[in-house]
Amino acid sequence: MERSLVLIKPDGMQRGLTGTIINRLEEQGLKLIALKMLHLDKALARKHYAAHRDKPFFENLVNYISSAPIVAAVFEGERAVKIIRKITGATDPAKAETGTIRGDLGLNTRHNTVHGSDSVETAEKEIKRFFTESEIFDYDRVIEN
Ligand code: IDP
Ligand code: MG
């Protein structure tokens, strides 16, 4: 079973889209196993986006993601990483397909509403960065739908 880190970025939180985004992932059958609200500091923002540190948009990205509270979640499911990337859509909302979160709700390439881990390895690192063991819930769904 795979796990993936999802972030509802400041533009998503501030437009009241938290419930909608979580709902889209839940509707897909993904299991919510961790959830919290936090305000990223710049150091954690830099770590989260370290792969982009040489890109021209890096500083603006760090400032944006740490500008206001966000929601962090962990979802679990078969092939969760790929499925979440698919539901999230392309980085640029103008290129993301209709029906994806970014295609329907994203504003522009920076303010694209949501983050989803890009591989199983990245997901493991990202989840550890945002959640302690005790904040992640291992439970069975007793009511199947
Ligand atoms: P991803 O979120 O789809 O994996 P990445 O290329 O890993 O996209 O970029 C990380 C984040 O950096 C994006 O989600 C977006 O917020 C921001 N970003 C990516 N490319 C640009 C850009 O060209 N201009 C401004 N921000 C960007
Ligand atoms: Mg990425």
Side-chain angles (χ1 to χ4, degrees), residues 48-106:
H48 178 66
Y49 283 124
H52 299 296
R53 63 185 166 287
D54 297 329
K55 306 260 171 68
F57 58 81
F58 181 67
E59 279 307 316
N60 280 336
L61 177 60
V62 166
N63 288 338
Y64 159 61
I65 201 77
S66 59
S67 65
I70 61 168
V71 168
V74 181
F75 281 92
E76 187 178 78
E78 252 176 65
R79 307 184 70 215
V81 170
K82 263 233 164 78
I83 288 170
I84 290 172
R85 291 290 287 191
K86 197 170 171 200
I87 299 169
T88 301
T91 309
D92 177 357
K95 294 186 185 138
E97 289 188 37
T98 300
T100 64
I101 294 168
R102 287 167 169 172
D104 294 348
L105 308 169

